[in-house]
Amino acid sequence: MRRRAADYRRPTRRRSSIWIWMFLGLFCIAGFILLAVKQNQENEDHTKHPILVRNSGTLQFTHNLNLTKKTTNTNSYARQLLDQMTLAKAYIVIAKEHNNHHLAWELGSKIRSCQFLLSKAAMRDTPMTQNEAEPLIKSLSTLIFKAQDAHYDIATTIMTMKSHIQALEERANAATVQSTFFGQLAAESVPKNLHCVNVKLLASWLTIKKLHEAANEIKNSPRLVDNNLHHFCLFSDNLLAVSAVVNSTVSNTERPKQLVFHIVTNEPNYGAMQAWFVTNDFKGSMIEVQKVEDFTWLNASYSPIFKKLTETDFQEYYSSEGFQDLNTEPKFKNPKYSSLLNHLRFYIPEIYPQLEKVVFLDDDVIVQKDLTPLFLLDLHGNVNGAVETCLDSFHRFHKYFNFSNPVLSSKFDPQACGWAFGLNVFDLVAWRKANVTDVYHYWQEQNSDGSLWKLGTLPPGLLAFYGRTEPLDRRWHVLGLGYNVNIDNRLIESAAVVHFNGNLKPWLKFGIGRYKPLWERYVNQTHPSLVDCATN
């Protein structure tokens, strides 16, 4: 009888079961550890964030003291409302497509309530409180959950929201163009109170003969051509702006009687400008006012820009039809480009043939330091002293000109540094020697079709003074106060001249409030004409 082989299976099975139980035990221990860690994380999350619990169609808010402190900061509730409104608007579109008009109406009603609360908080300029926002947040959240419970098809929801986003983007782009246009239009307009001052001063000029006598005395004064004095020139039709420039310059110098201001305006503003400067005391400084219409030598046969400004096509560009063209950048429709006053800076040697050096100032600057040291600067044979603006690539030549044109690319460096008008020291002797005005005329003729640059005075200035500009210390001229709200206070305080270039001029209501006091302190608020116009 065959013997049965030894059976080793039972002992092997016993050893395998031992290992299985060990692995199961370790797995359970790891599971308990992971569960404890997860529970701890959930407890931490509950202390950091509010929890929305949906129960029987109502919302329960779970708050914590730390949460309350975090959510009471400025705009916190406003931000929550805006996020919910955005989501609710998307569900309105989806609800309407599924004929759930009642839900769409409810969402729209809550959105209008949110908009009213946000506008109310914005008008009073105080943060939205928890008591105001929480009821709307709860009710709008309930409606959003209700919309989610409708189980709309996810593919339909995504496509609907995508088309809605595209429509909103188109509307946003159109609104941006429109707001830019209206902002430009507002920046070009004259505030009612300033227009009132001009009318009152013009009436005085027309009725008071003594004002004419005082103006004639100034016109014949030898100080106007004395090169031992410090001469400044401004070309503007804005009375109050020019007055602030003159007053700030006079107020920040030790010897105001050494200053001579040469102002050129146009016929409509000439009488008011004369009346203002004749009747106001500027600490003994000399102020001459002229009108551009008296410069008979500045005509179409001599000046290409004068010829261009008087052309019918150019004038039609600034008609009501021309302003409707949305393809043109709004800033290039600014009427200042059609004003000859804006181009007089290129004719300073012809306007003042007996002067040797002048400082040119724009009417939207304020002087904070003594400018007389500018007349002692060595320009090293250059014509123009100006502050360069090429700290970044935006103000390089290639940003102003069409360098695909060989006329420019063969003569100028696209990476050349730009500079700014607004505060410029002009050596008129060097100017006449280099025939800079003729160079300016040449480039205006080359750009008769607008192929080299768009409108403006800076591009032709960059070309006319190319290789003839002496860089000044940046602290002489700080720009951007008409558009940049984040200029360093230390830079402003150290600046000799601050420039409100941009649309947000300080004499306009929508000017940047942070910078307005810099300008307002140099406006004669006690002048009778200003007082009458302010009260009436």
Side-chain angles (χ1 to χ4, degrees):
M1 188 175 180
R2 179 182 294 179
R3 293 186 62 183
R4 187 177 180 180
D7 190 358
Y8 296 100
R9 288 176 295 177
R10 188 175 300 275
T12 303
R13 188 164 53 248
R14 185 179 294 115
R15 286 195 296 270
S16 299
S17 63
I18 293 172
W19 284 106
I20 290 171
W21 283 109
M22 288 177 64
F23 280 121
L24 286 174
L26 291 173
F27 181 81
C28 291
I29 294 171
F32 281 121
I33 293 173
L34 290 174
L35 183 63
V37 171
K38 182 178 181 182
Q39 185 67 29
N40 184 49
Q41 290 178 344
E42 289 179 351
N43 291 336
E44 290 179 355
D45 290 340
H46 282 301
T47 63
K48 292 182 180 178
H49 303 286
I51 300 176
L52 290 177
V53 181
R54 182 169 48 170
N55 185 15
S56 301
T58 61
L59 288 176
Q60 296 178 356
F61 280 73
T62 303
H63 287 286
N64 177 274
L65 181 60
N66 294 333
L67 170 69
T68 304
K69 290 181 180 180
K70 291 181 180 180
T71 56
T72 52
N73 60 357
T74 306
N75 295 330
S76 175
Y77 294 111
R79 185 170 58 251
Q80 293 180 41
L81 283 177
L82 288 171
D83 291 342
Q84 286 189 323
M85 285 167 59
T86 302
L87 188 58
K89 288 177 181 178
Y91 277 117
I92 285 177
V93 178
I94 300 172
K96 287 181 178 179
E97 289 190 355
H98 288 78
N99 295 321
N100 194 343
H101 298 290
H102 181 69
L103 177 59
W105 179 86
E106 287 183 308
L107 288 168
S109 177
K110 290 301 178 184
I111 288 173
R112 287 190 292 272
S113 299
C114 293
Q115 290 172 337
F116 175 77
L117 182 58
L118 289 169
S119 62
K120 182 179 177 182
M123 290 295 291
R124 72 183 183 217
D125 199 24
T126 56
M128 191 181 299
T129 63
Q130 182 177 352
N131 292 333
E132 291 176 320
E134 196 168 83
L136 275 176
I137 293 175
K138 288 181 179 180
S139 58
L140 194 53
S141 297
T142 302
L143 289 174
I144 291 172
F145 286 138
K146 185 177 179 181
Q148 292 173 346
D149 284 339
H151 300 296
Y152 292 131
D153 177 67
I154 189 63
T156 304
T157 302
I158 292 173
M159 292 302 297
T160 303
M161 294 185 71
K162 184 177 180 180
S163 62
H164 190 52
I165 289 170
Q166 290 175 345
L168 287 175
E169 288 179 348
E170 292 177 0
R171 290 171 59 187
N173 292 335
T176 300
V177 173
Q178 192 176 43
S179 64
T180 304
F181 170 74
F182 286 127
Q184 185 69 51
L185 192 63
E188 298 156 10
S189 62
V190 178
K192 183 172 67 174
N193 61 326
L194 299 188
H195 182 70
C196 170
V197 172
N198 278 15
V199 172
K200 286 183 175 293
L201 289 170
L202 179 59
S204 300
W205 174 255
L206 295 175
T207 56
I208 302 176
K209 292 183 178 180
K210 289 184 179 179
L211 298 181
H212 292 262
E213 295 174 359
N216 288 331
E217 289 182 8
I218 294 174
K219 185 178 180 180
N220 298 319
S221 173
R223 294 173 62 187
L224 297 178
V225 294
D226 187 350
N227 283 298
N228 293 317
L229 303 179
H230 306 302
H231 296 266
F232 299 84
C233 55
L234 298 93
F235 311 128
S236 173
D237 57 0
N238 189 324
L239 168 64
L240 218 57
V242 172
S243 176
V245 176
V246 173
N247 194 24
S248 64
T249 308
V250 169
S251 300
N252 290 286
T253 187
E254 295 180 356
R255 298 180 180 179
K257 292 183 179 180
Q258 298 290 315
L259 307 186
V260 180
F261 294 90
H262 304 270
I263 300 169
V264 181
T265 187
N266 52 20
E267 182 71 38
N269 295 280
Y270 175 73
M273 200 85 73
Q274 283 282 26
W276 177 274
F277 286 107
V278 167
T279 56
N280 279 278
D281 178 31
F282 291 93
K283 299 183 179 180
S285 60
M286 175 68 65
I287 302 173
E288 174 196 30
V289 179
Q290 297 175 276
K291 58 178 182 288
V292 67
E293 288 80 2
D294 289 340
F295 301 153
T296 56
W297 51 267
L298 190 57
N299 50 50
S301 62
Y302 172 64
S303 169
I305 191 63
F306 185 95
K307 181 180 179 181
K308 183 177 182 179
L309 295 179
T310 55
E311 288 177 349
T312 304
D313 292 343
F314 189 85
Q315 292 178 348
E316 287 179 353
Y317 178 82
Y318 289 96
S319 66
S320 58
E321 293 82 4
F323 272 94
Q324 301 303 318
D325 182 12
L326 296 179
N327 294 324
T328 304
E329 194 172 347
K331 73 176 183 177
F332 291 114
K333 297 177 181 179
N334 193 325
K336 74 177 183 179
Y337 295 122
S338 64
S339 171
L340 190 58
L341 290 173
N342 197 46
H343 299 270
L344 286 184
R345 64 194 68 189
F346 296 104
Y347 298 98
I348 293 175
E350 286 81 4
I351 300 173
Y352 311 109
Q354 294 176 288
L355 297 184
E356 297 176 354
K357 182 175 284 189
V358 300
V359 169
F360 168 79
L361 297 172
D362 265 335
D363 63 356
D364 54 352
V365 306
I366 284 295
V367 178
Q368 301 186 131
K369 301 286 194 302
D370 187 5
L371 297 186
T372 55
L374 287 173
F375 293 88
L376 301 176
L377 286 179
D378 184 3
L379 299 182
H380 301 97
N382 288 307
V383 178
N384 172 33
V387 171
E388 292 183 333
T389 55
C390 56
L391 296 179
D392 51 36
S393 61
F394 178 78
H395 293 101
R396 301 284 178 177
F397 268 43
H398 65 87
K399 290 295 183 178
Y400 296 101
F401 302 105
N402 175 22
F403 271 94
S404 64
N405 191 307
V407 176
L408 285 176
S409 58
S410 62
K411 296 182 179 181
F412 299 97
D413 178 10
Q415 296 298 325
C417 188
W419 44 267
F421 276 123
L423 170 69
N424 302 85
V425 185
F426 290 128
D427 185 336
L428 301 186
V429 176
W431 183 318
R432 297 182 185 101
K433 184 178 180 180
N435 295 321
V436 174
T437 303
D438 290 341
V439 176
Y440 165 71
H441 285 169
Y442 169 79
W443 287 113
Q444 285 289 1
E445 291 171 349
Q446 293 295 314
N447 193 50
S448 58
D449 57 354
S451 61
L452 301 184
W453 70 84
K454 296 181 180 180
L455 295 173
T457 55
L458 182 57
L462 294 176
L463 300 183
F465 295 104
Y466 185 75
R468 303 183 180 95
T469 298
E470 179 71 15
L472 301 182
D473 189 295
R474 188 186 178 197
R475 290 172 294 181
W476 279 112
H477 186 193
V478 171
L479 299 100
L481 278 72
Y483 66 89
N484 186 356
V485 298
N486 297 315
I487 302 176
D488 193 329
N489 282 328
R490 293 171 296 180
L491 186 61
I492 294 176
E493 291 171 1
S494 66
V497 170
V498 290
H499 196 166
F500 292 84
N501 58 311
N503 285 340
L504 307 180
K505 303 298 185 185
W507 53 82
L508 300 174
K509 287 185 177 180
F510 55 82
I512 301 174
R514 176 188 166 199
Y515 307 136
K516 273 191 173 185
L518 300 174
W519 183 82
E520 291 173 342
R521 72 179 63 169
Y522 294 109
V523 177
N524 184 6
Q525 304 286 355
T526 61
H527 193 279
S529 296
L530 275 176
V531 173
D532 291 344
C533 290
T535 56
N536 295 330

